[in-house]
Amino acid sequence: MSDLDLIVRGGRVVTGSGVTVADVGIADGTIAAVGADLSLSADEVIDARGLHVFPGGVDSHVHFNDPGRTEWETIATGSAALAAGGYTTFVDMPLNSRPVTTSGAAFDAKLQAATANAVVDFGLWGGLVPGNLEHLEELVQRGVMGFKAFMCSSGIDDFPQSDDRTLRAGMERIAQFDSILLVHAEDAATTDRLTREALAAGKKSARDFIRSRPAAAELEAISRAVSLAGETRCRLHIVHVSTARGVQLVDEAKASGVDVSCETCPHYLLYTEEDLERLGGLGKCAPPLRTNKDRDGLWRFVFDGVLPMVVSDHSPSTLALKQGPDFFKLWGGISGCQSTRQLLLWQARARSVGPSTISAATAGNVARRFGLARKGEVAVGFDADLWLADLSIDGVLRREDLLYRNQFSAHEGAPIHGRTVRTMVRGQTVFMDGRVDRSSRGRFIRPAR
Ligand SMILES: [Zn+2]
């Protein structure tokens, strides 16, 4: 009898405090030992010398659209793409599946689809929309990670935006359940008015779209959301913050005692308004791409930990929905969950941001905030979710490598750092030699609070 099932030997283990050469011992899918030259026996040994050993990534913001809009993405293809990029856990948004996840029955349908198809572990967000207050408790009982609401149009009719009354009432309940509310913070009054004006004037370009969703709309919505969260004592998280000032607002609210956090996405760290003409519809997202000053500011906040999370907001569609003469009519959302870490690692080098910061922003900090208690660290007692990456290899993101249902991305052609050698979920290899083990099945995770 061996002491362990598996030892990953001699890799450069990435922890919150830095990178150290160590062995990782695994038993029953759990990390049982981490240390230099472990003198334990194991049934299997993986030689990781020269490789980095990251905690498996945790992407808390994906739209896999399954069930119901599986022509855009599926849980099978989306989770396979994650595994290829070193991710071992996702939390799926309550839209754009059909039905949207705003009731217990809708949750049950999503859970069934995910249980049958996810190749990595997963949690599920519920939705807060006008009229579903009575369903929040059944969603909590079923184990949602928290709730998501929109302060502007969501892009689909079946997930209406929340007015302030809905937000306040929702926050009161969510606080009682000790859960968390995620908000898409753009002020609808501003974006609706500017959109109407643009359309009336026949303006249809990418630039016109950007002007219809100014930074001020984000800041106005963040201010309202954090003040409501302060009043209701509800835990709050602002998704995809696109401006440096937005992160500052969140940080100021946090300093004043509001339990609030925020995230940004790779596209806001990689591209600016100037890039949108080149990217075309593939680069359309909301909030839109911002200025160089915002991009630099966001990176500074990632560097110093004020901005603790970078998640993909993988929001795919068919290619046809991303093409056409009227930019306002195109689907807004960027396909990117497969490449988050490799894109960030490339950009991070030029900005003197180390791999442990990227690791924390894409795993540990996300897991801690949302209650994924066994995820996000290479440490004893955590799930043996590992990304073995060869950081001696640089490359370019190629369309043919993408595992999405619709094989395209705004990031095609972008430089990437590192190649996935192996991705493991609870000690089981789910991706190796460029191939996903599609027979792997992830587990549903409830938040630990
Ligand atoms: Zn989203």
Side-chain angles (χ1 to χ4, degrees):
M1 267 279 288
S2 308
D3 302 319
L4 301 165
D5 299 325
L6 176 65
I7 290 190
V8 178
R9 286 260 187 226
R12 296 169 185 160
V13 176
V14 182
T15 68
S17 50
V19 181
T20 45
V21 174
D23 300 339
V24 180
I26 297 164
D28 296 326
T30 300
I31 297 174
V34 181
D37 304 315
L38 291 177
S39 57
L40 296 164
S41 61
D43 296 341
E44 190 190 348
V45 175
I46 294 172
D47 182 0
R49 283 173 300 175
L51 304 179
H52 280 71
V53 181
F54 287 77
V58 180
D59 194 340
S60 58
H61 194 154
V62 297
H63 301 263
F64 286 163
N65 310 323
D66 193 351
R69 280 191 182 82
T70 49
E71 68 279 15
W72 292 6
E73 189 68 279
T74 67
I75 288 168
T77 48
S79 65
L82 282 174
Y87 281 74
T88 51
T89 306
F90 67 88
V91 191
D92 193 56
M93 283 293 168
L95 68 169
N96 304 303
S97 52
R98 196 160 34 202
V100 294
T101 318
T102 51
S103 70
F107 176 95
D108 294 342
K110 173 83 68 83
L111 179 61
Q112 195 177 22
T115 304
N117 296 299
V119 300
V120 300
D121 288 351
F122 61 92
L124 301 176
W125 298 111
L128 169 66
V129 294
N132 88 322
L133 284 179
E134 299 310 317
H135 292 290
L136 301 186
E137 186 165 12
E138 70 200 35
L139 287 163
V140 170
Q141 282 163 354
R142 281 166 167 79
V144 287
M145 203 61 66
F147 295 89
K148 163 91 174 280
F150 277 74
M151 296 176 77
C152 60
S153 163
S154 76
I156 57 166
D157 295 335
D158 30 349
F159 200 96
Q161 72 196 50
S162 291
D163 51 24
D164 283 10
R165 267 197 18 221
T166 302
L167 281 182
R168 182 190 297 274
M171 283 186 190
E172 279 166 358
R173 299 240 174 156
I174 290 164
Q176 283 165 12
F177 303 135
D178 197 23
S179 188
I180 187 167
L181 180 66
L182 279 53
V183 298
H184 177 132
E186 283 185 289
D187 176 50
T190 308
T191 56
D192 289 351
R193 176 175 55 79
L194 292 173
T195 301
R196 269 197 315 273
E197 286 173 13
L199 297 186
K203 294 179 171 171
K204 296 175 177 176
S205 74
R207 282 283 178 178
D208 297 326
F209 171 74
I210 288 174
R211 282 188 208 106
S212 75
R213 308 187 84 94
E218 175 172 276
L219 303 181
E220 156 65 21
I222 290 175
S223 300
R224 279 212 325 277
V226 294
S227 90
L228 284 169
E231 287 171 38
T232 57
R233 314 293 298 165
C234 181
R235 197 181 281 130
L236 177 71
H237 177 77
I238 312 290
V239 294
H240 52 52
V241 176
S242 63
T243 60
R245 182 68 192 130
V247 177
Q248 265 172 346
L249 284 181
V250 170
D251 196 45
E252 286 162 18
K254 203 174 150 194
S256 77
V258 181
D259 188 346
V260 58
S261 54
C262 68
E263 67 188 34
T264 193
C265 309
H267 32 281
Y268 303 115
L269 293 167
L270 263 69
Y271 311 121
T272 63
E273 296 171 353
E274 283 70 44
D275 293 304
L276 193 55
E277 267 135 88
R278 169 178 64 82
L279 294 168
L282 298 196
K284 182 182 174 183
C285 56
L289 301 173
R290 299 298 189 193
T291 64
N292 198 29
K293 206 172 143 216
D294 282 309
R295 179 173 61 178
D296 288 349
L298 292 174
W299 268 111
R300 255 196 320 280
F301 286 136
V302 169
F303 175 79
D304 61 24
V306 171
L307 179 44
M309 299 184 210
V310 184
V311 295
S312 71
D313 192 8
H314 179 72
S315 183
S317 69
T318 58
L319 189 56
L321 291 177
K322 299 296 260 173
Q323 294 169 330
D326 183 346
F327 206 84
F328 283 79
K329 287 215 175 92
L330 308 182
W331 175 252
I334 286 180
S335 282
C337 70
Q338 186 172 328
S339 53
T340 300
R341 278 186 158 175
Q342 287 158 299
L343 290 167
L344 291 179
L345 285 167
W346 173 276
Q347 300 289 330
R349 270 192 309 187
R351 295 175 183 270
S352 305
V353 176
S356 49
T357 300
I358 298 302
S359 172
T362 56
N365 295 344
V366 184
R368 218 169 303 119
R369 175 60 174 164
F370 298 132
L372 296 142
R374 295 173 57 88
K375 302 295 187 187
E377 305 285 346
V378 183
V380 172
F382 282 75
D383 283 350
D385 297 351
L386 303 176
W387 182 43
L388 275 55
D390 185 346
L391 297 195
S392 72
I393 296 176
D394 292 333
V396 163
L397 193 78
R398 304 182 309 172
R399 177 172 287 200
E400 57 265 39
D401 294 332
L402 298 175
L403 301 182
Y404 309 138
R405 170 84 170 77
N406 291 283
Q407 210 177 25
F408 66 83
S409 171
H411 303 305
E412 286 167 46
I416 53 175
H417 182 49
R419 185 177 68 88
T420 299
V421 173
R422 189 192 285 259
T423 304
M424 302 168 76
V425 179
R426 287 174 280 104
Q428 302 294 313
T429 296
V430 297
F431 184 94
M432 194 171 70
D433 297 330
R435 273 214 296 281
V436 182
D437 177 357
R438 291 182 194 271
S439 68
S440 305
R441 282 299 166 265
R443 283 188 192 157
F444 173 57
I445 310 163
R446 291 168 167 269
R449 293 211 168 86

